[in-house]
PDB file of all heavy atoms in Angstrom:
ATOM      1  N   ASP A 368     -50.156  19.456 -28.701  1.00 91.00           N
ATOM      2  CA  ASP A 368     -50.235  20.576 -29.709  1.00 91.00           C
ATOM      3  C   ASP A 368     -49.975  21.922 -29.126  1.00 91.00           C
ATOM      4  O   ASP A 368     -49.462  22.801 -29.806  1.00 91.00           O
ATOM      5  CB  ASP A 368     -51.625  20.509 -30.380  1.00 91.00           C
ATOM      6  CG  ASP A 368     -51.867  19.163 -31.019  1.00 91.00           C
ATOM      7  OD1 ASP A 368     -52.216  18.193 -30.315  1.00 91.00           O
ATOM      8  OD2 ASP A 368     -51.512  19.031 -32.202  1.00 91.00           O
ATOM      9  N   VAL A 369     -50.289  22.162 -27.828  1.00 93.00           N
ATOM     10  CA  VAL A 369     -49.937  23.415 -27.182  1.00 93.00           C
ATOM     11  C   VAL A 369     -48.431  23.464 -27.087  1.00 93.00           C
ATOM     12  O   VAL A 369     -47.800  24.541 -27.410  1.00 93.00           O
ATOM     13  CB  VAL A 369     -50.567  23.493 -25.776  1.00 93.00           C
ATOM     14  CG1 VAL A 369     -50.121  24.829 -25.125  1.00 93.00           C
ATOM     15  CG2 VAL A 369     -52.080  23.421 -25.820  1.00 93.00           C
ATOM     16  N   ALA A 370     -47.776  22.374 -26.726  1.00 95.00           N
ATOM     17  CA  ALA A 370     -46.349  22.342 -26.676  1.00 95.00           C
ATOM     18  C   ALA A 370     -45.740  22.631 -28.038  1.00 95.00           C
ATOM     19  O   ALA A 370     -44.755  23.411 -28.169  1.00 95.00           O
ATOM     20  CB  ALA A 370     -45.839  20.996 -26.098  1.00 95.00           C
ATOM     21  N   ASP A 371     -46.299  22.000 -29.074  1.00 93.00           N
ATOM     22  CA  ASP A 371     -45.808  22.208 -30.432  1.00 93.00           C
ATOM     23  C   ASP A 371     -45.918  23.656 -30.864  1.00 93.00           C
ATOM     24  O   ASP A 371     -45.110  24.183 -31.569  1.00 93.00           O
ATOM     25  CB  ASP A 371     -46.515  21.223 -31.413  1.00 93.00           C
ATOM     26  CG  ASP A 371     -46.139  19.793 -31.230  1.00 93.00           C
ATOM     27  OD1 ASP A 371     -45.100  19.492 -30.549  1.00 93.00           O
ATOM     28  OD2 ASP A 371     -46.865  18.917 -31.736  1.00 93.00           O
ATOM     29  N   TYR A 372     -47.040  24.255 -30.424  1.00 93.00           N
ATOM     30  CA  TYR A 372     -47.304  25.686 -30.704  1.00 93.00           C
ATOM     31  C   TYR A 372     -46.137  26.541 -30.124  1.00 93.00           C
ATOM     32  O   TYR A 372     -45.578  27.406 -30.773  1.00 93.00           O
ATOM     33  CB  TYR A 372     -48.637  26.107 -30.125  1.00 93.00           C
ATOM     34  CG  TYR A 372     -48.919  27.525 -30.107  1.00 93.00           C
ATOM     35  CD1 TYR A 372     -49.583  28.198 -31.169  1.00 93.00           C
ATOM     36  CD2 TYR A 372     -48.589  28.339 -28.972  1.00 93.00           C
ATOM     37  CE1 TYR A 372     -49.811  29.570 -31.149  1.00 93.00           C
ATOM     38  CE2 TYR A 372     -48.837  29.717 -28.944  1.00 93.00           C
ATOM     39  CZ  TYR A 372     -49.439  30.326 -30.018  1.00 93.00           C
ATOM     40  OH  TYR A 372     -49.704  31.667 -29.989  1.00 93.00           O
ATOM     41  N   LEU A 373     -45.803  26.195 -28.875  1.00 95.00           N
ATOM     42  CA  LEU A 373     -44.741  26.974 -28.242  1.00 95.00           C
ATOM     43  C   LEU A 373     -43.373  26.735 -28.924  1.00 95.00           C
ATOM     44  O   LEU A 373     -42.584  27.669 -29.044  1.00 95.00           O
ATOM     45  CB  LEU A 373     -44.657  26.533 -26.753  1.00 95.00           C
ATOM     46  CG  LEU A 373     -45.821  27.032 -25.887  1.00 95.00           C
ATOM     47  CD1 LEU A 373     -45.717  26.424 -24.433  1.00 95.00           C
ATOM     48  CD2 LEU A 373     -45.805  28.589 -25.773  1.00 95.00           C
ATOM     49  N   VAL A 374     -43.198  25.525 -29.404  1.00 96.00           N
ATOM     50  CA  VAL A 374     -41.928  25.243 -30.106  1.00 96.00           C
ATOM     51  C   VAL A 374     -41.845  26.120 -31.364  1.00 96.00           C
ATOM     52  O   VAL A 374     -40.803  26.716 -31.649  1.00 96.00           O
ATOM     53  CB  VAL A 374     -41.869  23.730 -30.532  1.00 96.00           C
ATOM     54  CG1 VAL A 374     -40.760  23.500 -31.561  1.00 96.00           C
ATOM     55  CG2 VAL A 374     -41.642  22.843 -29.291  1.00 96.00           C
ATOM     56  N   ARG A 375     -43.014  26.270 -32.044  1.00 94.00           N
ATOM     57  CA  ARG A 375     -43.030  27.181 -33.242  1.00 94.00           C
ATOM     58  C   ARG A 375     -42.716  28.619 -32.836  1.00 94.00           C
ATOM     59  O   ARG A 375     -42.272  29.392 -33.675  1.00 94.00           O
ATOM     60  CB  ARG A 375     -44.376  27.071 -33.972  1.00 94.00           C
ATOM     61  CG  ARG A 375     -44.521  25.758 -34.786  1.00 94.00           C
ATOM     62  CD  ARG A 375     -45.651  25.876 -35.768  1.00 94.00           C
ATOM     63  NE  ARG A 375     -46.987  26.066 -35.201  1.00 94.00           N
ATOM     64  CZ  ARG A 375     -47.783  25.097 -34.670  1.00 94.00           C
ATOM     65  NH1 ARG A 375     -47.306  23.851 -34.680  1.00 94.00           N
ATOM     66  NH2 ARG A 375     -48.912  25.387 -34.176  1.00 94.00           N
ATOM     67  N   LYS A 376     -42.979  28.960 -31.569  1.00 94.00           N
ATOM     68  CA  LYS A 376     -42.674  30.370 -31.101  1.00 94.00           C
ATOM     69  C   LYS A 376     -41.263  30.407 -30.532  1.00 94.00           C
ATOM     70  O   LYS A 376     -40.861  31.381 -29.889  1.00 94.00           O
ATOM     71  CB  LYS A 376     -43.665  30.814 -30.034  1.00 94.00           C
ATOM     72  CG  LYS A 376     -45.116  30.759 -30.458  1.00 94.00           C
ATOM     73  CD  LYS A 376     -45.532  32.077 -31.015  1.00 94.00           C
ATOM     74  CE  LYS A 376     -46.898  31.957 -31.645  1.00 94.00           C
ATOM     75  NZ  LYS A 376     -47.512  33.206 -32.028  1.00 94.00           N
ATOM     76  N   GLY A 377     -40.486  29.404 -30.756  1.00 95.00           N
ATOM     77  CA  GLY A 377     -39.043  29.435 -30.340  1.00 95.00           C
ATOM     78  C   GLY A 377     -38.763  28.805 -29.023  1.00 95.00           C
ATOM     79  O   GLY A 377     -37.594  28.779 -28.577  1.00 95.00           O
ATOM     80  N   VAL A 378     -39.723  28.261 -28.319  1.00 95.00           N
ATOM     81  CA  VAL A 378     -39.459  27.648 -27.011  1.00 95.00           C
ATOM     82  C   VAL A 378     -38.921  26.234 -27.244  1.00 95.00           C
ATOM     83  O   VAL A 378     -39.544  25.507 -28.039  1.00 95.00           O
ATOM     84  CB  VAL A 378     -40.772  27.600 -26.138  1.00 95.00           C
ATOM     85  CG1 VAL A 378     -40.472  27.045 -24.765  1.00 95.00           C
ATOM     86  CG2 VAL A 378     -41.429  28.954 -26.049  1.00 95.00           C
ATOM     87  N   PRO A 379     -37.822  25.849 -26.552  1.00 96.00           N
ATOM     88  CA  PRO A 379     -37.386  24.445 -26.683  1.00 96.00           C
ATOM     89  C   PRO A 379     -38.462  23.441 -26.244  1.00 96.00           C
ATOM     90  O   PRO A 379     -39.184  23.751 -25.264  1.00 96.00           O
ATOM     91  CB  PRO A 379     -36.190  24.394 -25.770  1.00 96.00           C
ATOM     92  CG  PRO A 379     -35.794  25.804 -25.451  1.00 96.00           C
ATOM     93  CD  PRO A 379     -36.998  26.637 -25.640  1.00 96.00           C
ATOM     94  N   PHE A 380     -38.561  22.313 -26.884  1.00 95.00           N
ATOM     95  CA  PHE A 380     -39.663  21.409 -26.625  1.00 95.00           C
ATOM     96  C   PHE A 380     -39.749  21.009 -25.128  1.00 95.00           C
ATOM     97  O   PHE A 380     -40.802  20.961 -24.532  1.00 95.00           O
ATOM     98  CB  PHE A 380     -39.584  20.119 -27.491  1.00 95.00           C
ATOM     99  CG  PHE A 380     -40.731  19.192 -27.211  1.00 95.00           C
ATOM    100  CD1 PHE A 380     -41.990  19.439 -27.734  1.00 95.00           C
ATOM    101  CD2 PHE A 380     -40.609  18.101 -26.323  1.00 95.00           C
ATOM    102  CE1 PHE A 380     -43.077  18.615 -27.437  1.00 95.00           C
ATOM    103  CE2 PHE A 380     -41.701  17.321 -26.022  1.00 95.00           C
ATOM    104  CZ  PHE A 380     -42.942  17.542 -26.537  1.00 95.00           C
ATOM    105  N   THR A 382     -38.812  22.599 -22.506  1.00 95.00           N
ATOM    106  CA  THR A 382     -39.319  23.726 -21.724  1.00 95.00           C
ATOM    107  C   THR A 382     -40.843  23.865 -21.908  1.00 95.00           C
ATOM    108  O   THR A 382     -41.640  24.031 -20.968  1.00 95.00           O
ATOM    109  CB  THR A 382     -38.651  25.048 -22.092  1.00 95.00           C
ATOM    110  OG1 THR A 382     -37.230  24.788 -22.170  1.00 95.00           O
ATOM    111  CG2 THR A 382     -38.878  26.171 -21.117  1.00 95.00           C
ATOM    112  N   ALA A 383     -41.214  23.728 -23.200  1.00 95.00           N
ATOM    113  CA  ALA A 383     -42.661  23.864 -23.583  1.00 95.00           C
ATOM    114  C   ALA A 383     -43.458  22.745 -22.820  1.00 95.00           C
ATOM    115  O   ALA A 383     -44.520  23.020 -22.311  1.00 95.00           O
ATOM    116  CB  ALA A 383     -42.816  23.670 -25.080  1.00 95.00           C
ATOM    117  N   TYR A 386     -44.227  23.931 -19.446  1.00 95.00           N
ATOM    118  CA  TYR A 386     -45.249  24.980 -19.403  1.00 95.00           C
ATOM    119  C   TYR A 386     -46.634  24.338 -19.540  1.00 95.00           C
ATOM    120  O   TYR A 386     -47.588  24.712 -18.842  1.00 95.00           O
ATOM    121  CB  TYR A 386     -45.064  25.988 -20.550  1.00 95.00           C
ATOM    122  CG  TYR A 386     -43.912  26.914 -20.402  1.00 95.00           C
ATOM    123  CD1 TYR A 386     -43.250  27.463 -21.519  1.00 95.00           C
ATOM    124  CD2 TYR A 386     -43.501  27.362 -19.120  1.00 95.00           C
ATOM    125  CE1 TYR A 386     -42.226  28.321 -21.399  1.00 95.00           C
ATOM    126  CE2 TYR A 386     -42.445  28.258 -19.015  1.00 95.00           C
ATOM    127  CZ  TYR A 386     -41.824  28.731 -20.122  1.00 95.00           C
ATOM    128  OH  TYR A 386     -40.776  29.602 -20.036  1.00 95.00           O
ATOM    129  N   LEU A 406     -56.706  33.981 -22.454  1.00 95.00           N
ATOM    130  CA  LEU A 406     -55.389  34.329 -22.900  1.00 95.00           C
ATOM    131  C   LEU A 406     -54.560  34.827 -21.713  1.00 95.00           C
ATOM    132  O   LEU A 406     -53.342  34.559 -21.649  1.00 95.00           O
ATOM    133  CB  LEU A 406     -55.513  35.433 -23.971  1.00 95.00           C
ATOM    134  CG  LEU A 406     -54.228  35.689 -24.825  1.00 95.00           C
ATOM    135  CD1 LEU A 406     -53.766  34.397 -25.432  1.00 95.00           C
ATOM    136  CD2 LEU A 406     -54.532  36.767 -25.863  1.00 95.00           C
ATOM    137  N   ARG A 410     -50.937  33.484 -20.628  1.00 94.00           N
ATOM    138  CA  ARG A 410     -49.789  34.347 -20.555  1.00 94.00           C
ATOM    139  C   ARG A 410     -49.149  34.304 -19.173  1.00 94.00           C
ATOM    140  O   ARG A 410     -47.916  34.588 -19.016  1.00 94.00           O
ATOM    141  CB  ARG A 410     -50.198  35.800 -20.916  1.00 94.00           C
ATOM    142  CG  ARG A 410     -50.516  35.850 -22.390  1.00 94.00           C
ATOM    143  CD  ARG A 410     -50.008  37.223 -22.919  1.00 94.00           C
ATOM    144  NE  ARG A 410     -49.996  37.194 -24.368  1.00 94.00           N
ATOM    145  CZ  ARG A 410     -50.702  38.001 -25.152  1.00 94.00           C
ATOM    146  NH1 ARG A 410     -51.501  38.935 -24.589  1.00 94.00           N
ATOM    147  NH2 ARG A 410     -50.584  37.905 -26.471  1.00 94.00           N
ATOM    148  N   CYS A 413     -46.817  31.473 -19.877  1.00 93.00           N
ATOM    149  CA  CYS A 413     -45.808  31.778 -20.890  1.00 93.00           C
ATOM    150  C   CYS A 413     -46.264  32.955 -21.731  1.00 93.00           C
ATOM    151  O   CYS A 413     -47.321  32.882 -22.345  1.00 93.00           O
ATOM    152  CB  CYS A 413     -45.566  30.523 -21.781  1.00 93.00           C
ATOM    153  SG  CYS A 413     -44.423  30.861 -23.114  1.00 93.00           S
ATOM    154  N   ASP A 414     -45.472  34.021 -21.731  1.00 93.00           N
ATOM    155  CA  ASP A 414     -45.889  35.221 -22.444  1.00 93.00           C
ATOM    156  C   ASP A 414     -45.760  35.183 -23.932  1.00 93.00           C
ATOM    157  O   ASP A 414     -46.057  36.073 -24.646  1.00 93.00           O
ATOM    158  CB  ASP A 414     -45.180  36.482 -21.847  1.00 93.00           C
ATOM    159  CG  ASP A 414     -43.665  36.352 -21.997  1.00 93.00           C
ATOM    160  OD1 ASP A 414     -43.192  35.447 -22.726  1.00 93.00           O
ATOM    161  OD2 ASP A 414     -42.986  37.195 -21.448  1.00 93.00           O
ATOM    162  N   LYS A 415     -45.246  34.024 -24.448  1.00 93.00           N
ATOM    163  CA  LYS A 415     -45.147  33.867 -25.941  1.00 93.00           C
ATOM    164  C   LYS A 415     -46.489  33.481 -26.570  1.00 93.00           C
ATOM    165  O   LYS A 415     -46.569  33.392 -27.748  1.00 93.00           O
ATOM    166  CB  LYS A 415     -44.145  32.761 -26.254  1.00 93.00           C
ATOM    167  CG  LYS A 415     -42.656  33.115 -25.844  1.00 93.00           C
ATOM    168  CD  LYS A 415     -41.735  32.849 -27.033  1.00 93.00           C
ATOM    169  CE  LYS A 415     -40.406  33.614 -26.942  1.00 93.00           C
ATOM    170  NZ  LYS A 415     -39.569  33.230 -25.836  1.00 93.00           N
ATOM    171  N   ILE A 416     -47.437  33.216 -25.693  1.00 94.00           N
ATOM    172  CA  ILE A 416     -48.735  32.713 -26.250  1.00 94.00           C
ATOM    173  C   ILE A 416     -49.624  33.874 -26.669  1.00 94.00           C
ATOM    174  O   ILE A 416     -49.755  34.917 -25.956  1.00 94.00           O
ATOM    175  CB  ILE A 416     -49.470  31.857 -25.136  1.00 94.00           C
ATOM    176  CG1 ILE A 416     -48.589  30.643 -24.863  1.00 94.00           C
ATOM    177  CG2 ILE A 416     -50.841  31.404 -25.669  1.00 94.00           C
ATOM    178  CD1 ILE A 416     -49.139  29.665 -23.806  1.00 94.00           C
ATOM    179  N   ASP A 417     -50.153  33.756 -27.906  1.00 93.00           N
ATOM    180  CA  ASP A 417     -51.025  34.790 -28.427  1.00 93.00           C
ATOM    181  C   ASP A 417     -52.423  34.240 -28.753  1.00 93.00           C
ATOM    182  O   ASP A 417     -52.699  33.043 -28.587  1.00 93.00           O
ATOM    183  CB  ASP A 417     -50.455  35.336 -29.761  1.00 93.00           C
ATOM    184  CG  ASP A 417     -49.168  36.078 -29.552  1.00 93.00           C
ATOM    185  OD1 ASP A 417     -49.130  36.911 -28.576  1.00 93.00           O
ATOM    186  OD2 ASP A 417     -48.186  35.811 -30.257  1.00 93.00           O
ATOM    187  N   GLU A 418     -53.297  35.123 -29.245  1.00 94.00           N
ATOM    188  CA  GLU A 418     -54.659  34.811 -29.594  1.00 94.00           C
ATOM    189  C   GLU A 418     -54.735  33.580 -30.583  1.00 94.00           C
ATOM    190  O   GLU A 418     -55.709  32.797 -30.534  1.00 94.00           O
ATOM    191  CB  GLU A 418     -55.257  36.035 -30.283  1.00 94.00           C
ATOM    192  CG  GLU A 418     -56.754  36.030 -30.482  1.00 94.00           C
ATOM    193  CD  GLU A 418     -57.568  35.926 -29.209  1.00 94.00           C
ATOM    194  OE1 GLU A 418     -57.222  36.623 -28.191  1.00 94.00           O
ATOM    195  OE2 GLU A 418     -58.511  35.110 -29.192  1.00 94.00           O
ATOM    196  N   ASP A 419     -53.695  33.438 -31.395  1.00 94.00           N
ATOM    197  CA  ASP A 419     -53.725  32.320 -32.391  1.00 94.00           C
ATOM    198  C   ASP A 419     -53.620  30.918 -31.734  1.00 94.00           C
ATOM    199  O   ASP A 419     -53.739  29.932 -32.419  1.00 94.00           O
ATOM    200  CB  ASP A 419     -52.692  32.469 -33.472  1.00 94.00           C
ATOM    201  CG  ASP A 419     -51.299  32.555 -32.897  1.00 94.00           C
ATOM    202  OD1 ASP A 419     -51.121  32.617 -31.620  1.00 94.00           O
ATOM    203  OD2 ASP A 419     -50.321  32.493 -33.682  1.00 94.00           O
ATOM    204  N   ILE A 420     -53.417  30.873 -30.420  1.00 94.00           N
ATOM    205  CA  ILE A 420     -53.336  29.600 -29.735  1.00 94.00           C
ATOM    206  C   ILE A 420     -54.618  28.793 -29.964  1.00 94.00           C
ATOM    207  O   ILE A 420     -54.632  27.571 -30.150  1.00 94.00           O
ATOM    208  CB  ILE A 420     -53.087  29.742 -28.210  1.00 94.00           C
ATOM    209  CG1 ILE A 420     -52.952  28.385 -27.494  1.00 94.00           C
ATOM    210  CG2 ILE A 420     -54.128  30.572 -27.485  1.00 94.00           C
ATOM    211  CD1 ILE A 420     -51.743  27.637 -27.782  1.00 94.00           C
ATOM    212  N   TYR A 421     -55.741  29.464 -29.940  1.00 93.00           N
ATOM    213  CA  TYR A 421     -57.050  28.789 -29.996  1.00 93.00           C
ATOM    214  C   TYR A 421     -57.266  28.013 -31.289  1.00 93.00           C
ATOM    215  O   TYR A 421     -57.679  26.850 -31.295  1.00 93.00           O
ATOM    216  CB  TYR A 421     -58.224  29.736 -29.734  1.00 93.00           C
ATOM    217  CG  TYR A 421     -58.122  30.324 -28.348  1.00 93.00           C
ATOM    218  CD1 TYR A 421     -57.706  31.642 -28.150  1.00 93.00           C
ATOM    219  CD2 TYR A 421     -58.378  29.573 -27.197  1.00 93.00           C
ATOM    220  CE1 TYR A 421     -57.581  32.199 -26.859  1.00 93.00           C
ATOM    221  CE2 TYR A 421     -58.220  30.074 -25.931  1.00 93.00           C
ATOM    222  CZ  TYR A 421     -57.849  31.413 -25.774  1.00 93.00           C
ATOM    223  OH  TYR A 421     -57.698  31.913 -24.528  1.00 93.00           O
ATOM    224  N   SER A 422     -56.917  28.678 -32.379  1.00 92.00           N
ATOM    225  CA  SER A 422     -57.067  27.946 -33.674  1.00 92.00           C
ATOM    226  C   SER A 422     -55.990  26.848 -33.779  1.00 92.00           C
ATOM    227  O   SER A 422     -56.218  25.812 -34.415  1.00 92.00           O
ATOM    228  CB  SER A 422     -57.023  28.897 -34.865  1.00 92.00           C
ATOM    229  OG  SER A 422     -55.759  29.510 -34.901  1.00 92.00           O
ATOM    230  N   ALA A 423     -54.826  27.118 -33.192  1.00 92.00           N
ATOM    231  CA  ALA A 423     -53.704  26.141 -33.293  1.00 92.00           C
ATOM    232  C   ALA A 423     -53.999  24.837 -32.545  1.00 92.00           C
ATOM    233  O   ALA A 423     -53.451  23.838 -32.904  1.00 92.00           O
ATOM    234  CB  ALA A 423     -52.441  26.772 -32.771  1.00 92.00           C
ATOM    235  N   ILE A 424     -54.871  24.912 -31.541  1.00 91.00           N
ATOM    236  CA  ILE A 424     -55.141  23.726 -30.782  1.00 91.00           C
ATOM    237  C   ILE A 424     -56.541  23.153 -30.937  1.00 91.00           C
ATOM    238  O   ILE A 424     -57.003  22.326 -30.203  1.00 91.00           O
ATOM    239  CB  ILE A 424     -54.811  23.882 -29.321  1.00 91.00           C
ATOM    240  CG1 ILE A 424     -55.694  24.933 -28.639  1.00 91.00           C
ATOM    241  CG2 ILE A 424     -53.299  24.243 -29.072  1.00 91.00           C
ATOM    242  CD1 ILE A 424     -55.673  24.944 -27.139  1.00 91.00           C
TER     243      ILE A 424
END
Side-chain angles (χ1 to χ4, degrees):
D368 301 83
V369 178
D371 290 344
Y372 169 89
L373 289 174
V374 167
R375 285 197 298 278
K376 301 268 170 171
V378 182
F380 181 78
T382 315
Y386 287 152
L406 196 54
R410 289 219 166 118
C413 174
D414 60 10
K415 294 229 159 65
I416 299 178
D417 293 314
E418 192 62 43
D419 58 351
I420 182 72
Y421 298 105
S422 62
I424 64 166

